[in-house]
Each structure stands twice: as structure tokens, then as C-alpha cells.
Amino acid sequence: TGVQTCALPILSLSNKNLAVQYLVIAGGAGGGWGGGGGGAGGVQYSTATLTPGSYPIVVGGGGSQSSNGNNSSFNSLISTGGGRGADYNNNGGNGGSGGGGRGWKIQRSPGTGTPGQGNNGGNYASQGNGGGGGASGVGGNASGNSGGSGGNATSSYFAWASATSTGVAGYYAGGGGGGSINTPYQAPGGGGGAGYGGYIYNGNTNPYFGTPSVFATINTGSGGGGGGGGQVGAGDNDAFSGTGGSGLVIVRYLMSAV
């Protein structure tokens, strides 16, 4: 978690200006402890002509459980970290994409996304928790006891992902799935390495058993899965939630230009 900072040297023997394209993806948020899926980090693209010199790059780390992701930036373009999934104590966080809401016992609202960077988190149901927002879609709403799916990741930068071996199957910044309660269902993440939601389920056993949520993949900006909520007959136990995936910054230019 946290941020990683490095510098991009502009290599030009003739000191010419350099035309670049750059993709800035913030860190995804952690899913809520017994709550909503984490929102994806904000995704932005731009172009510029850079003069010779060094340009700081900040790559935002993924958020820990129930924590927002961290911002990424390059050349004054700042992408906002994803909003945390809602938990017992907190609403879903606002961010690049918003975190999903929480439904079990203490209901908490989903977070909102940043226009041009991501989407809102999904709403809670009677017990299920909402999915985190993704770069290409809002987080799924929970239904009954089942958590909502994470909002869709983006494939708009498939060529970038392929050239740099980043993302997952050409996708970045999916929302984490929301946690479920008293049903053996793992809400899927929105792709791009986003985490699945966890669940707690009593079934025919006593005490309860459950499946933890899934951490998001590093360098994707995707959200972590929300944990399953505590259930009747099992106290107020909440399942672990997944951490968000770190972001990334890609700068590309023609080799013939340097």
C-alpha cells in the first residue's frame, strides 16, 4: 500500500521536445470488512509534448481492508484512488470509482465515482452488499442475501496492456464484488483482476462457515472484494475483505523521436 515514486528521464541527444501519450490509473480500494466491494482507481489518458528533463511519476498503492486506494499522477494529471467498500462503521468511500454499500444489520450507503474517471458503487439489499464501481460500469446492486457484482473494467487500453504485460486479459480497473450473507455465493468482480466478494453461510453446519473475499491483482487499479457479513446465530462476525490492486502509469512515445 502507499505510493511509489520514480522519475521518467527524457532521453534526447539532440534536446528535442518529445511527444508522449500517457495512461494514469490510481490504486483500487479495499473491500469493506463484512461489506461492499472496493471501487476501482480512476483511469485517465492524455497527451503532451515534453521538454527535456525529468518528470515525477507517482503510482498509487491499493487500499487495505476498508480503505481507499491512493492517487496516481504524471505531468499534472491526477487520477483519484478508488473508494473503500462500506463496512459496519462507514459508508462506501467516494473516489475514482465509488465503493459498494453495506446491507447487513447496519446499512451504509455506496460511494460515488469521479466523472471522467469511474463510476458509482452499487447499492445494498436487505442483507447483501453492493459491488464496487468500475471504470466502465457502476457497481452491481445486491439482491436479497447476495452481494452485487463489481462494475465492469475497461478494455479501452487493450493495446497498452498487451505491450506492457499489465492488466488482466487486456482489462484494467474493475470493481470488487460485494460480500454475501447466509448464502454460498461469491459475487464476481468486474474483471481486470478485481476481487470476488466473500460470504458467510450457516447451511447445515454449526457454527457458520465462510469463504474469504479475494484480493485484487497488483498494477491493475481494481477493487478488492467485500467480506461476507455477520449472520443470525453466529454473533456479529464479519469476514475478511480483499485489498485493492495498485495502480500504474504508462508513458509511451516513438523510439525514433529520441
Side-chain angles (χ1 to χ4, degrees):
T1 60
V3 297
Q4 301 167 345
T5 303
C6 57
L8 170 69
I10 303 304
L11 304 176
S12 177
L13 296 178
S14 59
N15 287 329
K16 292 182 179 179
N17 294 343
L18 185 63
V20 300
Q21 302 172 327
Y22 47 101
L23 177 64
V24 180
I25 302 178
W33 183 287
V43 178
Q44 295 189 94
Y45 162 87
S46 191
T47 62
T49 299
L50 305 179
T51 58
S54 294
Y55 294 81
I57 294 176
V58 176
V59 177
S64 58
Q65 295 176 346
S66 294
S67 296
N68 291 346
N70 293 280
N71 296 349
S72 293
S73 63
F74 174 73
N75 196 37
S76 300
L77 183 67
I78 302 173
S79 291
T80 306
R84 65 172 181 264
D87 59 21
Y88 188 91
N89 295 308
N90 302 288
N91 290 332
N94 302 327
S97 285
R102 171 186 164 108
W104 165 246
K105 196 170 184 178
I106 300 295
Q107 296 178 334
R108 300 292 184 184
S109 300
T112 59
T114 302
Q117 297 191 33
N119 291 278
N120 298 341
N123 216 339
Y124 57 81
S126 58
Q127 295 190 35
N129 306 308
S136 291
V138 299
N141 294 331
S143 177
N145 293 12
S146 299
S149 301
N152 289 338
T154 179
S155 61
S156 297
Y157 305 98
F158 184 93
W160 296 58
S162 178
T164 58
S165 298
T166 58
V168 173
Y171 286 78
Y172 296 114
S180 301
I181 174 172
N182 208 22
T183 184
Y185 174 70
Q186 278 195 283
Y196 279 56
Y199 68 82
I200 287 179
Y201 174 55
N202 192 34
N204 296 318
T205 66
N206 189 17
Y208 70 91
F209 67 90
T211 296
S213 56
V214 179
F215 293 5
T217 304
I218 63 172
N219 297 134
T220 62
S222 292
Q231 64 167 37
V232 175
D236 292 327
N237 297 290
D238 288 335
F240 288 100
S241 57
T243 58
S246 52
L248 76 163
V249 175
I250 302 174
V251 181
R252 68 178 186 176
Y253 52 89
L254 293 174
M255 292 297 296
S256 60
V258 297

